[in-house]
Amino acid sequence: MRRRTLIRALAVGTLAPAGLGLGARSATAAADLYGIDVATTQGGIDLALARNQGQQFAIAKTGGSQLSEGPYVSPYYTAQVDSARAAGLRVGHYWLSGDFQAPTDAANYFVDHLHDYRQGDVLALDDEVLDDSTGLWNDGQVAAWFRQVQARVGTCVPWFYIGAANLRGGSWGQTIATGAKLWVAAYGSNNGTRQGEPELGGAYPDWAVHQYTSVGSIGGIGNVDHNLARGSAFDLVAPGSGGGGGGGGGGGLPKTTTEQDGIPGPVFWSRAQKWLSLTSGYTGPVDGVPGVNTYAALQRYLKAHFGYAGPVDGVPGVNTYAAWQRLAAQWGYTGPIDGVMGPNSWRGVARFLNQNAWD
């Protein structure tokens, strides 16, 4: 995406979807779908022609929160939704984050201005910095937006758009817990082709949609964002069901009582192993017995996201636990970051591990 928005009052300039990155899958599964996302710069796109050229979905920009004048509806949004629907494309609606609305207010504005929304349509948040905005929304803000959208519409298809580098620079546990499927922008040399898998750096369990170029030519115009979506990207997600990867929530592991009693046991460690298998390359058994491989995967995650600077040797010490306390601090732990785990430290970690995403 990365195209500047110049909507001022009734004057329309340029607007577009999402971020940046690098990527592709070496073997495309039969269920994968190709599609585009469109905004003001694609106002004249022929979506029937795009369908004939092999596109299977179109995500239209509803509007955004990134202008100092306040929220707005993109001028071609209604026509693009209607055209996509008429062409037989799967339909999506996306909102651009920004400095000038609180996430809950933005979610309400988005839902209030949806055009011809039908269950099964994609509802997406584009988290990037454009125009008058100065910063990305963080994990808590993104999760608040998705929770409010889900509170308004119920079961839906939520997509979280972000550039790969920005994804790797953050921690997204709360967003993952909403079940939002990752739509990651990763372009490589951005020459119109996919050039490898998106590099997530352990920041998300998996990707559901890969935006692999912003210079595609389709539907009679150029500089169109092209995407590859796994088939599960369009699966419905019930509020609170977790997920966040290619599909949505899942069941299996019980919740750990460590959240209540502050004592880590086999269920706590099983959930930790499942989390680390999804995010940090842990390949051992999910047996609730932590060993060198469990701790090495933990150190890899903490090195990438929470300032752990020690060796990845599978031998936890003060530095490992201090970094884990920094994670716990995002989940209610308020004690010192001293590398000495106690009941309150374990409770904070347990709240993180009890997300449905790690079931």
Side-chain angles (χ1 to χ4, degrees):
M1 304 180 181
R2 286 284 172 204
R3 292 184 291 272
R4 183 168 175 77
T5 302
L6 298 174
I7 293 184
R8 289 291 185 267
L10 298 178
V12 178
T14 55
L15 238 243
L20 294 167
L22 150 85
R25 269 200 288 177
S26 56
T28 301
D32 289 350
L33 301 170
Y34 286 91
I36 56 178
D37 51 86
V38 293
T40 308
T41 49
Q42 292 87 35
I45 192 168
D46 183 339
L47 291 173
L49 178 58
R51 180 73 175 92
N52 290 338
Q53 292 174 327
Q55 301 306 302
Q56 296 160 287
F57 64 88
I59 315 299
K61 180 166 188 163
T62 306
S65 305
Q66 88 285 7
L67 297 181
S68 57
E69 294 93 316
Y72 62 91
V73 174
S74 190
Y76 298 113
Y77 164 62
T78 296
Q80 288 170 341
V81 169
D82 289 344
S83 296
R85 194 89 69 194
L89 296 165
R90 292 176 183 252
V91 172
H93 318 252
Y94 80 89
W95 186 259
L96 179 61
S97 67
D99 296 358
F100 303 100
Q101 267 188 311
T104 299
D105 292 338
N108 285 328
Y109 192 98
F110 172 68
V111 172
D112 288 343
H113 291 85
L114 286 172
H115 171 67
D116 191 25
Y117 169 69
R118 305 178 189 183
Q119 190 177 66
D121 287 359
V122 171
L123 298 178
L125 177 68
D126 170 6
D127 192 18
E128 63 177 323
V129 180
L130 287 176
D131 303 304
D132 302 329
S133 291
T134 61
L136 294 170
W137 281 0
N138 63 26
D139 180 34
Q141 292 170 307
V142 171
W145 189 90
F146 279 111
R147 284 194 295 266
Q148 185 61 19
V149 168
Q150 291 169 323
R152 292 287 305 276
V153 305
T155 297
C156 63
V157 182
W159 288 9
F160 167 44
Y161 177 95
I162 192 169
N166 290 326
L167 177 81
R168 293 192 298 268
S171 178
W172 305 100
Q174 296 178 65
T175 302
I176 292 167
T178 69
K181 302 162 189 288
L182 179 62
W183 179 13
V184 61
Y187 300 160
S189 60
N190 200 17
N191 64 4
T193 65
R194 294 187 75 228
Q195 299 171 38
E197 288 283 325
E199 177 50 60
L200 308 186
Y204 224 80
D206 201 357
W207 61 272
V209 190
H210 177 202
Q211 185 187 85
Y212 60 88
T213 187
S214 64
V215 297
S217 179
I218 206 80
I221 64 173
N223 295 322
V224 179
D225 299 322
H226 283 223
N227 304 271
L228 178 66
R230 292 170 170 167
S232 58
F234 294 91
D235 290 348
L236 291 165
V237 174
S241 66
L253 293 176
K255 306 298 186 185
T256 174
T257 59
T258 306
E259 186 173 347
Q260 288 75 46
D261 61 26
I263 302 170
V267 174
F268 173 96
W269 285 109
S270 291
R271 295 189 70 85
Q273 289 167 330
K274 182 61 181 292
W275 158 54
L276 293 167
S277 72
L278 291 169
T279 65
S280 303
Y282 173 70
T283 59
V286 178
D287 60 2
V289 181
V292 170
N293 291 336
T294 303
Y295 287 115
L298 174 63
Q299 289 167 332
R300 282 194 295 274
Y301 186 90
L302 297 175
K303 183 180 283 286
H305 303 291
F306 288 94
Y308 173 66
V312 178
D313 58 5
V315 181
V318 171
N319 290 336
T320 302
Y321 290 126
W324 217 3
Q325 286 173 323
R326 284 192 284 274
L327 180 153
Q330 296 191 358
W331 293 84
Y333 171 63
T334 59
I337 307 298
D338 58 5
V340 179
M341 299 292 284
N344 290 334
S345 299
W346 293 119
R347 288 188 186 100
V349 174
R351 277 189 285 273
F352 169 79
L353 293 177
N354 269 342
Q355 296 175 88
N356 290 336
W358 319 130
D359 286 357

